[in-house]
Amino acid sequence: MATRKAGSRLETEIERCRSESQWERIPELVKQLSAKLIANDDMAELLLGESKLEQYLKEQPLRQGASPRGPRPQLTEVRKHLTATLDRGNLKSEFLQESNLVMAKLNYVEGDYREALNTYTRVGLDDLPLMAVPPYRLRMIAEAYATKGLCLEKLPISSSTSNLHVDREQDVITCYEKAGDIALLYLQEIERVILTNIQNRSPKPGPAPHDQELGFFLETGLQRAHVLYFKNGIDVHEDQQNLTRGVGRFRELLRAVETRTTQNLRMTIARQLAEILLRGMCEQSYWNPLEDPPCQSPLDDPLRKGANTKTYTLSRKARVYSGENIFCPQENTEEALLLLLISESMANRDAVLSRIPEHRSDRLISLQSASVVYDLLTIALGRRGQYEMLSECLERAMKFAFEEFHLWYQFALSLMAAGKSARAVKVLRECIRLKPDDATIPLLAAKLCMGSLHWLEEAEKFAKTVVDAGEKTSEFKAKGYLALGLAYSLQATDASLRGMQEVLQRKALLAFQRAHSLSPTDHQAAFYLALQLAISRQIPEALGYVRQALQLQGDDVNSLHLLALLLSAQKHYHDALNIIDMALSEYPENFILLFSKVKLESLCRGPDEALLTCKHMLQIWKSCYNLTNPSDSGRGSSLLDRTIADRRQLNTITLPDFSDPETVSDSSSSSSLSRTESPLHLFVSSHLHSHPKPDTFVWPPAAQSFSDPGPRQEHSLCNSPDVYFHGFPSLFSVSSVHATSVAASRVEQALSEVASSLQSSAPKQGPLHPWMTLAQIWLHAAEVYIGIGKPAEATACTQEAANLFPMSHNVLYMRGQVAELRGNLEEALRWYEEALSISPTHVKSMQRLALILHQLGRYSLAEKILRDAVQVNSTAHEVWNGLGEVLQAQGNDAAATECFLTALELEASSPAVPFTIIPRVL
């Protein structure tokens, strides 16, 4: 009796070791079994043969796609053990089946695939029970199906018939699917048994639980089926059919209850499925994960049905997650994002961060796996414009990112896209340290610094690193000089002293000249050289270089705009307006061109045409931004209809997603001109044919050494939000954006938000820049009305802008203009003072305030304000003229005469709108 109990305990221990793959303990247990029980020689032979085979495979693991090994001396004993067991046939039927399964596995390892298949046929693999069997037998059956599939793949098909080929492929996939399903069942069952044993264990500590390993055959069964689905496909229908089956297989594996052994596999499968969903599945062929795959895909041939149903059933299935209120994705990008976030969580949890040499291999594998997940997250979130979320995900990846350039660079780009420019610059510094020979990184940092950050000194340093890099970055040296010139040009605009402005303008010209000489075919170098010459009021030379820029890039909107402004500076207003009209035929939604058109039409076609353009801008705004103005007075464009006859209704189109880069891209690039066929290009070439290319730079005399300090903008007015954060750039004013103006405009924005919240409880919808564009349209219409002496209409238009941004200095300035038109000087004085309290360097407000003070007889204060305005903007001819009038009223005729002459000289080269309205960006 004691012997029977001892044998029972020993058999239980052997069964446990076989289930947990503890093969090193089997020989010792077999010795105990042979000593205590009689007639167990056949069972011992089976156990020894199986354990030696598994030990061999553990020491010399198989690899997918490896060539047949042939007979191995190490496996001779394995075959002897198994042959002895099968020849005697004294074991029970289930143990004989196990002996055959191990023998078939040995045949595969030695390369005898046909004999392995014959063995599976004899044993009746499809008839083996799955119910009420120990876990190790589930593993053996799962490995048997995987081995059968591998053998079928290795053996050639005797006939070339297409149907036989398809049938063989289906048999192989079915074997792998069965192997995977039973493998999941085995892993769940063995984990349940292990946990039960731990819970039932006595307080006395026992051996630690053995970590399960999948092994070659189980891993093949779990992963090979979906690989074949995506690999195979004879025609388009088969491709779509296999895609549907493969995605369904992925989901089956992911829905199975997770075990410790399948955690890494689950992360891999989730990542692979996310990649398939992002790259290979369209919305029409997507189906709900909780539903069965469609029997007929929307893209399938309607005459071929039932292709996506399973061809087998198992008597026992793995447990799957179920319950109420389970989240279910409704479209492919949503499911892909969910899978990637799960994969990211698992990658972060299992990250290998140790830097010791022994862990280097594991750390590299962990890093590679995480990098793939983050790259796919970049694709998924980038498609939806969710850059804020992407930057947060990549920030979590920083724990992997020590000395890893790729992750740092991805993080920097995500911060840029999310509008976190300051952090992006700091991250780009680390990228420069990791990859000092890559000139594109400091150029990118310089672009950010010259944008909304307005860190011009930092931009200069980044540009100099490219210029001074030597031969390693010679191909980017021209871009480095271009960035350096832009930094100097913007610093000159900000400079408050005329001497410093001249020095910085000279540096900018030299840098642009160097960039143009290094890259004579770069239209940007020629354009920015022309722009800087225009700002320095060297109009003929600027015309020559803008002609070169247009010859290199005939559809560049900024070059076309500069050409129009240069013509307006020569007082060729009709020609300038023709250029604007033809440019607008190619870029109809570019608000910068439209704002310039309003001014030019006021000068040469009259206010009616200008008001028509204002109404047209409202139509464009409505078509681009279908937003509801929370403070809309209800008048709409009827204010413009009072004077103009055009009464067409405004179109309404669904609002695009402004976080999507495709919908907020530069409207100036929405269409292009043919360099050889465009009428605009032909017109420009013929118009400028008489202007020769200048060979040398001519610095203007002292009277011409003034910078044009119009509102600095780095981006297209109608698209980029960065330009608006410095306050409204009045296109008719001559005010520069100094560093003090940047800070003041932030105060203005905050005050406007507070004032708007007090006026209306409904916040403005969507991003800020569409509302700023709308406010600018109303302000331009108000200025036109002021020009024709209609204070009521101008007041109404100004009020529309004030409803959006009540504390904008441009709105306050326009209120002062209306008050002046009505003859209320005290009210106008108050509005100008309020405008200057928001933006102390707003030159137009300074000039109008000084004019009123002059009229009130307060000459000293008017003179001081005008002299301050000259320091801010030395090219504003209105300011010089006003200063001359104040000095003349004070009896200082000599100084007044000098001011009048300066004003005349500046007015002769003054464009319709400041040259600096054109964006200066890298």
Side-chain angles (χ1 to χ4, degrees), residues 60-333:
Q60 302 185 37
L62 300 177
R63 296 286 183 268
Q64 184 65 43
S67 57
R69 300 191 175 197
R72 299 285 179 177
Q74 303 95 316
L75 300 177
T76 304
E77 292 186 9
V78 176
R79 185 170 290 278
K80 287 181 180 179
H81 290 306
L82 297 175
T83 302
T85 301
L86 293 172
D87 288 345
R88 287 195 288 265
N90 295 329
L91 293 176
K92 295 180 180 180
S93 59
E94 62 265 25
F95 294 124
L96 287 175
Q97 291 171 351
E98 292 177 10
S99 301
N100 278 297
L101 293 180
V102 178
M103 179 63 80
K105 188 175 181 180
L106 174 62
N107 289 330
Y108 172 80
V109 173
E110 292 185 338
D112 194 351
Y113 307 128
R114 195 170 299 280
E115 181 59 29
L117 291 176
N118 292 335
T119 303
Y120 288 134
T121 303
R122 288 196 303 270
V123 80
L125 182 59
D126 292 332
D127 299 327
L128 295 180
L130 300 178
M131 305 294 293
V133 296
Y136 76 85
R137 193 165 298 168
L138 293 175
R139 175 186 56 79
M140 296 183 74
I141 297 174
E143 289 182 343
Y145 276 114
T147 307
K148 182 179 179 181
L150 289 167
C151 293
L152 290 174
E153 277 196 276
K154 296 287 186 180
L155 288 176
I157 301 176
S158 57
S159 174
S160 60
T161 306
S162 176
N163 290 335
L164 290 177
H165 181 72
V166 173
D167 292 341
R168 169 64 67 84
E169 287 181 349
Q170 186 57 50
D171 290 342
V172 170
I173 291 175
T174 300
C175 287
Y176 287 138
E177 287 187 336
K178 288 182 178 180
D181 292 344
I182 300 172
L184 289 174
L185 178 61
Y186 158 70
L187 293 171
Q188 291 176 0
E189 187 66 18
I190 191 60
E191 183 160 289
R192 182 189 64 80
V193 171
I194 292 175
L195 292 177
T196 302
N197 291 337
I198 292 175
Q199 292 173 0
N200 296 334
R201 185 180 299 164
S202 62
K204 182 179 178 180
H210 183 73
D211 289 337
Q212 290 296 118
E213 295 182 1
L214 282 176
F216 170 76
F217 294 100
L218 292 185
E219 189 171 346
T220 300
L222 288 168
Q223 292 192 331
R224 188 66 179 158
H226 53 258
V227 171
L228 293 179
Y229 275 134
F230 299 126
K231 180 180 177 181
N232 296 337
I234 300 175
D235 53 25
V236 175
H237 171 81
E238 290 293 338
D239 285 339
Q240 181 60 37
Q241 188 180 105
N242 286 326
L243 174 65
T244 303
R245 289 176 174 178
V247 171
R249 182 61 185 167
F250 269 130
R251 288 171 170 173
E252 288 176 5
L253 296 175
L254 290 171
R255 289 188 62 195
V257 174
E258 182 179 345
T259 64
R260 291 176 57 189
T261 309
T262 57
Q263 286 179 353
N264 292 333
L265 177 66
R266 179 179 292 269
M267 185 178 72
T268 302
I269 291 177
R271 186 185 70 231
Q272 291 173 343
L273 176 55
E275 189 169 1
I276 293 296
L277 291 172
L278 289 173
R279 298 183 179 180
M281 176 171 283
C282 61
E283 295 180 359
Q284 290 78 10
S285 57
Y286 181 83
W287 77 96
N288 191 312
L290 296 180
E291 300 173 354
D292 292 329
C295 295
Q296 180 180 0
S297 169
L299 303 181
D300 284 348
D301 186 346
L303 299 179
R304 304 175 68 174
K305 299 182 179 180
N308 295 326
T309 57
K310 270 195 172 184
T311 58
Y312 71 92
T313 56
L314 295 176
S315 59
R316 187 179 176 190
K317 297 181 180 180
R319 291 178 289 115
V320 297
Y321 289 109
S322 61
E324 298 180 357
N325 301 323
I326 293 180
F327 172 76
C328 181
Q330 298 301 315
E331 50 97 17
N332 54 351
T333 306

Side-chain angles (χ1 to χ4, degrees), residues 717-759:
L717 185 62
C718 58
N719 297 301
S720 174
D722 293 344
V723 66
Y724 303 100
F725 295 159
H726 297 164
F728 287 115
S730 174
L731 302 182
F732 302 138
S733 67
V734 201
S735 61
S736 65
V737 177
H738 291 254
T740 54
S741 297
V742 176
S745 64
R746 292 170 183 165
V747 176
E748 168 192 324
Q749 181 181 347
L751 291 174
S752 292
E753 291 174 355
V754 172
S756 297
S757 65
L758 294 176
Q759 291 180 5

Side-chain angles (χ1 to χ4, degrees), residues 379-389 417-418 657-661:
I379 295 173
L381 293 173
R383 287 182 178 178
R384 294 301 183 91
Q386 298 296 325
Y387 301 112
E388 180 80 22
M389 185 177 181
D657 183 3
F658 287 99
S659 59
D660 186 349

Side-chain angles (χ1 to χ4, degrees), residues 242-507:
N242 286 326
L243 174 65
T244 303
R245 289 176 174 178
V247 171
R249 182 61 185 167
F250 269 130
R251 288 171 170 173
E252 288 176 5
L253 296 175
L254 290 171
R255 289 188 62 195
V257 174
E258 182 179 345
T259 64
R260 291 176 57 189
T261 309
T262 57
Q263 286 179 353
N264 292 333
L265 177 66
R266 179 179 292 269
M267 185 178 72
T268 302
I269 291 177
R271 186 185 70 231
Q272 291 173 343
L273 176 55
E275 189 169 1
I276 293 296
L277 291 172
L278 289 173
R279 298 183 179 180
M281 176 171 283
C282 61
E283 295 180 359
Q284 290 78 10
S285 57
Y286 181 83
W287 77 96
N288 191 312
L290 296 180
E291 300 173 354
D292 292 329
C295 295
Q296 180 180 0
S297 169
L299 303 181
D300 284 348
D301 186 346
L303 299 179
R304 304 175 68 174
K305 299 182 179 180
N308 295 326
T309 57
K310 270 195 172 184
T311 58
Y312 71 92
T313 56
L314 295 176
S315 59
R316 187 179 176 190
K317 297 181 180 180
R319 291 178 289 115
V320 297
Y321 289 109
S322 61
E324 298 180 357
N325 301 323
I326 293 180
F327 172 76
C328 181
Q330 298 301 315
E331 50 97 17
N332 54 351
T333 306
E334 190 175 75
E335 183 177 353
L337 183 57
L338 175 63
L339 292 166
L340 290 173
L341 290 175
I342 293 173
S343 300
E344 186 218 2
S345 175
M346 299 177 70
N348 278 303
R349 181 192 62 192
D350 301 330
V352 179
L353 304 180
S354 174
R355 307 294 300 182
I356 62 176
E358 292 79 2
H359 294 166
R360 183 176 184 277
S361 177
D362 292 338
R363 188 180 68 253
L364 291 178
I365 293 173
S366 175
L367 171 65
Q368 183 179 9
S369 178
S371 296
V372 173
V373 172
Y374 285 113
D375 288 344
L376 292 173
L377 269 173
T378 301
I379 295 173
L381 293 173
R383 287 182 178 178
R384 294 301 183 91
Q386 298 296 325
Y387 301 112
E388 180 80 22
M389 185 177 181
L390 176 60
S391 65
E392 293 174 358
C393 292
L394 288 169
E395 187 171 5
R396 293 193 291 269
M398 287 297 99
K399 69 184 203 177
F400 300 97
F402 180 72
E403 300 294 325
E404 294 296 334
F405 171 80
H406 178 69
L407 287 177
W408 279 99
Y409 196 51
Q410 291 286 83
F411 185 35
L413 295 177
S414 69
L415 290 171
M416 287 178 56
K420 302 175 182 178
S421 300
R423 288 197 67 193
V425 171
K426 293 180 180 180
V427 177
L428 286 173
R429 289 184 188 278
E430 177 66 12
C431 295
I432 294 172
R433 185 189 68 80
L434 294 173
K435 206 169 183 180
D437 295 336
D438 191 345
T440 60
I441 305 172
L443 288 174
L444 200 58
K447 179 177 182 178
L448 283 177
C449 291
M450 285 186 285
S452 60
L453 294 176
H454 204 65
W455 295 352
L456 302 182
E457 290 76 11
E458 293 296 316
E460 179 185 345
K461 293 177 183 177
F462 284 122
K464 285 182 177 179
T465 60
V466 179
V467 170
D468 300 335
E471 296 300 324
K472 294 181 180 179
T473 59
S474 57
E475 66 273 20
F476 291 101
K477 186 162 287 189
K479 284 293 183 183
Y481 277 109
L482 190 64
L484 188 60
L486 286 171
Y488 285 141
S489 179
L490 293 171
Q491 289 181 61
T493 302
D494 280 1
S496 58
L497 298 177
R498 187 182 308 177
M500 183 58 67
Q501 290 178 4
E502 293 177 3
V503 171
L504 291 170
Q505 285 179 0
R506 287 178 185 275
K507 288 183 177 181

